Amino acid sequence: ANEQYMEGDYIKAFEYWSKAAELGDAEAHSRLAMLYRLGEGVEENEGNEIHHYEEAAIAGHPDARHNLGVREWTYGNYDRATKHIVIAARQGNNASIKQLMNAFKMGFISKEDLAAALRAHQAAVDATKS
């Protein structure tokens, strides 16, 4: 499906990722969310986007978890967003670190919780290297 997507065949990519998502593939759910967000091969649909990000996040996909946090932040749900972003950081998602710093500056996460998330992030990153 990645090849079809890169070639611009979004409909075929959607078909492949849909089948994989039905089988519980977290990456496929994350990719479907992206298609729904961008309207590539499907009509933009925020409800379907969120659904697929949630499915991927529940299955342990750090980028999907981060994207849920970004969405919640956009809606002004800072506490909920911060929880998603902390989880993503603990799973090794690099983009979440910048978001956590912003959340700390705005008072949505304590210094201790930030430090714990940073340590967990580093441990996750180190674990993928070994």
Side-chain angles (χ1 to χ4, degrees), residues 36-110:
Y36 280 113
R37 180 173 48 87
L38 300 174
E40 294 177 331
V42 294
E43 292 214 17
E44 286 184 38
N45 186 310
E46 190 174 357
N48 286 342
E49 172 196 352
I50 299 299
H51 165 75
H52 286 290
Y53 276 143
E54 287 174 343
E55 291 295 319
I58 289 167
H61 195 284
D63 295 341
R65 180 69 70 176
H66 171 80
N67 289 335
L68 281 174
V70 170
R71 276 298 202 187
E72 292 293 344
W73 195 273
T74 302
Y75 301 144
N77 300 329
Y78 303 117
D79 288 336
R80 187 173 173 147
T82 301
K83 288 176 186 173
H84 282 301
I85 292 167
V86 165
I87 293 168
R90 289 175 185 253
Q91 293 174 326
N93 180 275
N94 291 326
S96 294
I97 299 304
K98 182 178 178 183
Q99 288 295 119
L100 283 178
M101 295 299 187
N102 288 335
F104 173 70
K105 289 175 187 173
M106 297 176 75
F108 293 109
I109 185 171
S110 70

Side-chain angles (χ1 to χ4, degrees), residues 89-92 116-130:
R90 289 175 185 253
Q91 293 174 326
L118 292 174
R119 284 191 301 275
H121 173 267
Q122 189 59 53
V125 170
D126 290 346
T128 62
K129 291 180 183 175
S130 57

